[in-house]
Amino acid sequence: MFDNEKIDAYQFTLLVILFVVGDALLYVPSWLASSAKQDAWLAAGFGCVEGLAIAWLYTALAKRYFPSTLIEICRSVFGRWAGTAAACLFVSFILVDISIMLHEIGDFITTQMIPETPIEVVILLFTGVIVLGVRLGAVTLVRSSELAFPSFMLLYLLLILFISPQIKLEHAQPVLSEGLKPVIEGNLRFFGNLEESVILLMLFPFARSAVRGAKAYATGLTIGTILLTLFSTVSILVMGSDITALLAYPSYVLAQKVSVGKFFERIEAIMAFLWFITVFVKISVCYYAASYGIAQIAKLPKYHTVTLPLAMISIVLALVFVPNRPYFDHFATKFWTPYTLTFGLFLPLLMLGAAWLRQSLGKR
């Protein structure tokens, strides 16, 4: 490990919550509504149970090899060559995730807030801030998350409170009118977002103990999933599934509908700031994980030397990998969930199964 400082379980819990909410806060309601329609709340609700399941999977793997990072676990399980190949695949997955999120924030700002600003400028500025934060270390990122969390929760609760008078329960009816198939399809998209939390295994070694770190991981993942489920449900109950499914950023439009006494209105800036907090934390964690992972694979003395070249690569990937919004929607709805299943479910299961098999053979 390049950093010797440790983080508390409470700090790690807050980091996991902000990571899980991340960029999903802005577009997940639309994903759910396009598949599950008025039953989107059911699709998201099933995700709470799935969140506990993958939290158990990730923490079981992390505790077995504590205090190893995901890169070191790959090498321990698969050996030098196959483990390095698996580690490189994990880093590539993180880079793809970073590029998509950078494009998301660039697209959001240039289409919803300052349309005359080139997307390249927004991505460049946001990447610069992330690089500055990552170079200060993992503990600094965790502490900044701890400082930002009260603001996030305050804005989140205010938005839910002010929009709640416009909730119409009939928007959730009829329940299961088309059966379970649409609910399962929506749930798979939701589950694909949760699987990105495998990236947090790169920061798990900073926990003071494996047991407390595992509890913090599971608690944060559960709370983050509940926050997403609640927000998606409110979006459906206020705007209806048809309108929610058509919007690129339904959460932003939801904030525009807030009207308290015809005086407190149009607080979409609150929604934007809310999202900036969560997406900054998520991209920063991913960026740190990618830099740290590359440094471990290449056996560099410090990960800081990787941050600037990685920033250039991330900016180019954000502009090339996602050329426009229709392409992003097609990729996200058709390919993202199978892609995340590979790294968020199948490979961790394979590693945990190989570890158990090796242990059982060793006892014999």
Side-chain angles (χ1 to χ4, degrees), residues 9 12-13 55 59 63 204 209-222:
F12 193 50
T13 301
T59 54
K63 286 191 295 183
F204 192 87
S209 71
V211 176
R212 291 183 180 179
K215 290 181 179 178
Y217 203 127
T219 303
L221 196 55
T222 303

Side-chain angles (χ1 to χ4, degrees), residues 25 29 66 96 163 166 175 262 356:
L25 187 68
F66 187 80
V96 170
I163 200 65
Q166 301 184 39
V175 178
K262 295 184 179 180
W356 279 343

Side-chain angles (χ1 to χ4, degrees), residues 1 3 19 28 37-39 75 100 115 133 147 164 168 200 203 227 246 293 308-310 334 354 360:
M1 291 176 60
D3 296 327
F19 183 93
V28 156
K37 307 297 182 184
Q38 70 275 6
D39 294 320
R75 286 176 168 172
I100 290 175
L147 288 174
S164 58
K168 298 178 181 179
L200 289 165
L203 273 72
L227 292 177
L246 290 174
L308 290 179
L310 190 62
K334 299 295 182 181
S360 61

Side-chain angles (χ1 to χ4, degrees), residues 147-338:
L147 288 174
F149 186 79
S151 300
F152 162 75
M153 283 306 303
L154 177 63
L155 296 177
Y156 178 91
L157 293 175
L158 284 176
L159 185 57
I160 296 295
L161 177 65
F162 290 146
I163 200 65
S164 58
Q166 301 184 39
I167 288 177
K168 298 178 181 179
L169 296 179
E170 55 266 27
H171 285 157
Q173 300 170 351
V175 178
L176 296 177
S177 60
E178 299 182 17
L180 281 174
K181 183 178 178 181
V183 176
I184 294 173
E185 290 179 358
N187 173 256
L188 284 175
R189 294 182 181 181
F190 189 81
F191 185 53
N193 175 74
L194 297 181
E195 290 171 310
E196 296 176 43
S197 57
V198 69
I199 298 171
L200 289 165
L201 290 179
M202 290 295 296
L203 273 72
F204 192 87
F206 291 100
R208 294 190 182 277
S209 71
V211 176
R212 291 183 180 179
K215 290 181 179 178
Y217 203 127
T219 303
L221 196 55
T222 303
I223 295 175
T225 307
I226 292 173
L227 292 177
L228 284 178
T229 301
L230 176 60
F231 204 89
S232 300
T233 302
V234 171
S235 298
I236 299 298
L237 293 179
V238 171
M239 297 186 293
S241 59
D242 293 335
I243 295 178
T244 304
L246 290 174
L247 296 172
Y249 303 107
S251 303
Y252 190 71
V253 177
L254 183 70
Q256 292 177 336
K257 290 183 171 292
V258 171
S259 179
V260 181
K262 295 184 179 180
F263 172 75
F264 192 71
E265 304 180 309
R266 306 235 357 143
I267 59 169
E268 59 268 23
I270 290 180
M271 180 63 228
F273 186 70
L274 188 71
W275 189 63
F276 290 156
I277 291 174
T278 58
V279 78
F280 170 78
V281 170
K282 187 170 183 178
I283 298 179
S284 297
V285 170
C286 291
Y287 198 93
Y288 180 86
S291 303
Y292 203 99
I294 292 173
Q296 285 192 318
I297 292 172
K299 297 182 179 180
L300 299 176
K302 292 183 178 181
Y303 74 91
H304 300 80
T305 55
V306 182
T307 54
L308 290 179
L310 190 62
M312 301 176 190
I313 295 172
S314 300
I315 292 171
V316 173
L317 284 177
L319 297 172
V320 175
F321 187 75
V322 189
N324 50 58
R325 182 71 200 191
Y327 179 90
F328 169 77
D329 290 337
H330 178 72
F331 175 81
T333 55
K334 299 295 182 181
F335 302 105
W336 185 245
T337 297

Side-chain angles (χ1 to χ4, degrees), residues 2-220:
F2 301 110
D3 296 327
N4 295 321
E5 293 185 84
K6 296 292 183 180
I7 58 178
D8 296 328
Y10 173 73
Q11 295 174 320
F12 193 50
T13 301
L14 301 186
L15 180 71
V16 175
I17 293 173
L18 293 178
F19 183 93
V20 172
V21 174
D23 56 330
L25 187 68
L26 208 59
Y27 62 81
V28 156
S30 178
W31 280 16
L32 291 170
S34 62
S35 297
K37 307 297 182 184
Q38 70 275 6
D39 294 320
W41 62 277
L42 274 175
F46 291 151
C48 296
V49 180
E50 294 166 343
L52 288 173
I54 61 172
W56 174 86
L57 172 63
Y58 299 157
T59 54
L61 189 64
K63 286 191 295 183
R64 182 175 290 270
Y65 291 97
F66 187 80
S68 299
T69 64
L70 186 60
I71 303 302
E72 294 168 331
I73 293 174
C74 288
R75 286 176 168 172
S76 299
V77 174
F78 298 125
R80 180 182 178 184
W81 298 107
T84 301
C88 290
L89 289 175
F90 268 115
V91 171
S92 69
F93 166 68
I94 300 172
L95 284 176
V96 170
D97 202 9
I98 292 171
S99 64
I100 290 175
M101 287 188 288
L102 285 175
H103 179 83
E104 285 173 354
I105 195 163
D107 181 75
F108 170 73
I109 291 177
T110 55
T111 57
Q112 305 295 325
M113 302 184 73
I114 43 177
E116 296 183 3
T117 303
I119 189 173
E120 295 85 355
V121 174
V122 176
I123 293 175
L124 179 63
L125 291 175
F126 204 79
T127 304
V129 175
I130 291 169
V131 171
L132 289 176
V134 169
R135 290 179 67 88
L136 294 175
V139 176
T140 301
L141 290 178
V142 173
R143 289 172 180 169
S144 64
S145 301
E146 186 180 9
L147 288 174
F149 186 79
S151 300
F152 162 75
M153 283 306 303
L154 177 63
L155 296 177
Y156 178 91
L157 293 175
L158 284 176
L159 185 57
I160 296 295
L161 177 65
F162 290 146
I163 200 65
S164 58
Q166 301 184 39
I167 288 177
K168 298 178 181 179
L169 296 179
E170 55 266 27
H171 285 157
Q173 300 170 351
V175 178
L176 296 177
S177 60
E178 299 182 17
L180 281 174
K181 183 178 178 181
V183 176
I184 294 173
E185 290 179 358
N187 173 256
L188 284 175
R189 294 182 181 181
F190 189 81
F191 185 53
N193 175 74
L194 297 181
E195 290 171 310
E196 296 176 43
S197 57
V198 69
I199 298 171
L200 289 165
L201 290 179
M202 290 295 296
L203 273 72
F204 192 87
F206 291 100
R208 294 190 182 277
S209 71
V211 176
R212 291 183 180 179
K215 290 181 179 178
Y217 203 127
T219 303

